[in-house]
Amino acid sequence: RVACAASFDEPNAVFDCAWSEVAPNLIMIALGDGNVKLIDTNLKAIVHGFKDHQGEVYSVDASHQTPNLYLSSGFDGMVKLWDVEARGLVNTFAGHVGCVYSALWHPNTKEVFGSCSADSTARIWDIRDPRREMISIKGHFGEILSMDFNKYKDLVATGSIDKSIKLWDLRNLAVPALTLNGHKYAVRRVKCSPHEENIILSGSYDMSVIVWDTAAEVQKLAVRHSQHTEFVLGIDFNLFNKRQIASTSWDGRVYVWNWDLPQPKV
């Protein structure tokens, strides 16, 4: 049974949200009017608003290691670093020349984050030097809609409108370490498993979700889930069950499914 603990109405679209890593009652939300807001679920109120983006804010992410820091990215091509304790903007990271679909923290290095953009690049940044990115990854034929870090190795996964997923070794970016083809349309989301270094999850506008095993010698496409009837927008691994995955779609359904079951639970 699912019960609603609190709800908050916004006049604009809410594109993303991120729980605080230090306070279980704080949520950051990304809004279509350029605002980023901090919600306190105990007070059932918005306790602070941050406005610096020019256009829609597409993503927010809370730091796992420095809990007062959040990232946001948006239509204006900027990534913003916020300090919720100081209640202000720390820095702006400019370099992309198209909207930034996602900005996310590195799982192991607290000063590092990544971003991916409509300019067909993914970039790696260090918050100690906002002047320019440390690394720029180019290799897709079209916008990069999603990226994720592998927590076990120096690898980054990217998903693009060119229908491919590419795995990049940050020590050698001359060519992708691996290219995964199997989706028929744009790859909207990629996730690296928090449990196994060789497992990648992807969701696509072709309405399918794929589990990839990059260690497999021949067939790297391990499982395809095709129950959704509209674009797949969200995917994630269960942190407590390495074989359980959730997916969301424009069809209004959330599927929770296990690799070894023929049909997911809805």
Side-chain angles (χ1 to χ4, degrees):
R1 182 182 177 185
V2 178
C4 180
S7 65
F8 305 88
D9 293 328
E10 278 291 331
N12 291 279
V14 183
F15 284 93
D16 200 11
C17 62
W19 283 103
S20 166
E21 292 286 327
V22 66
N25 57 305
L26 295 180
I27 306 171
M28 182 81 86
I29 59 173
L31 298 172
D33 63 356
N35 276 291
V36 177
K37 294 183 179 180
L38 191 65
I39 292 174
D40 188 320
T41 60
N42 290 341
L43 298 176
K44 293 183 170 58
I46 293 168
V47 293
H48 197 70
F50 305 90
K51 178 66 186 289
D52 205 65
H53 282 286
Q54 304 301 312
E56 296 95 335
V57 183
Y58 290 140
S59 78
V60 286
D61 193 39
S63 172
H64 307 295
Q65 301 179 72
T66 312
N68 57 303
L69 297 182
Y70 282 77
L71 296 168
S72 65
S73 69
F75 179 81
D76 58 7
M78 304 296 173
V79 179
K80 306 283 184 180
L81 175 64
W82 308 94
D83 186 329
V84 296
E85 289 183 358
R87 298 199 170 188
L89 179 68
V90 178
N91 263 317
T92 296
F93 299 82
H96 287 292
V97 291
C99 61
V100 181
Y101 290 110
S102 179
L104 72 164
W105 292 100
H106 192 283
N108 303 320
T109 307
K110 66 180 182 180
E111 299 89 3
V112 173
F113 71 89
S115 60
C116 61
S117 169
D119 66 8
S120 304
T121 70
R123 305 187 186 212
I124 312 296
W125 308 78
D126 189 318
I127 64 172
R128 294 167 294 189
D129 185 5
R131 293 171 297 175
R132 60 167 297 155
E133 71 274 8
M134 294 192 301
I135 296 170
S136 181
I137 299 171
K138 302 175 182 179
H140 281 286
F141 299 101
E143 300 180 2
I144 299 179
L145 302 181
S146 182
M147 68 178 293
D148 199 18
F149 291 101
N150 186 310
K151 66 180 287 186
Y152 298 100
K153 293 183 175 181
D154 288 329
L155 298 173
V156 170
T158 54
S160 170
I161 65 170
D162 66 10
K163 303 180 285 189
S164 74
I165 299 148
K166 294 184 185 291
L167 199 62
W168 305 89
D169 187 332
L170 296 178
R171 299 164 297 182
N172 180 11
L173 293 169
V175 295
L178 184 65
T179 299
L180 301 170
N181 294 303
H183 285 295
K184 296 178 181 178
Y185 295 111
V187 179
R188 183 63 185 88
R189 194 79 69 180
V190 291
K191 284 274 189 176
C192 295
S193 171
H195 307 289
E196 299 166 281
E197 66 183 46
N198 57 300
I199 300 299
I200 294 174
L201 184 64
S202 62
S204 169
Y205 288 162
D206 67 8
M207 301 179 285
S208 73
V209 178
I210 295 178
V211 179
W212 306 87
D213 183 353
T214 62
E217 292 187 7
V218 181
Q219 178 55 273
K220 297 186 186 299
L221 195 162
V223 180
R224 185 191 296 271
H225 159 44
S226 300
Q227 301 300 114
H228 284 294
T229 57
E230 276 291 350
F231 296 163
V232 175
L233 298 179
I235 52 174
D236 207 1
F237 291 92
N238 185 332
L239 290 176
F240 302 95
N241 181 345
K242 70 179 183 179
R243 287 293 183 265
Q244 192 167 73
I245 288 163
S247 59
T248 65
S249 164
W250 275 9
D251 61 14
R253 289 175 175 255
V254 178
Y255 281 106
V256 178
W257 52 292
N258 298 301
W259 299 10
D260 54 351
L261 294 179
Q263 298 294 328
K265 296 180 289 183
V266 63

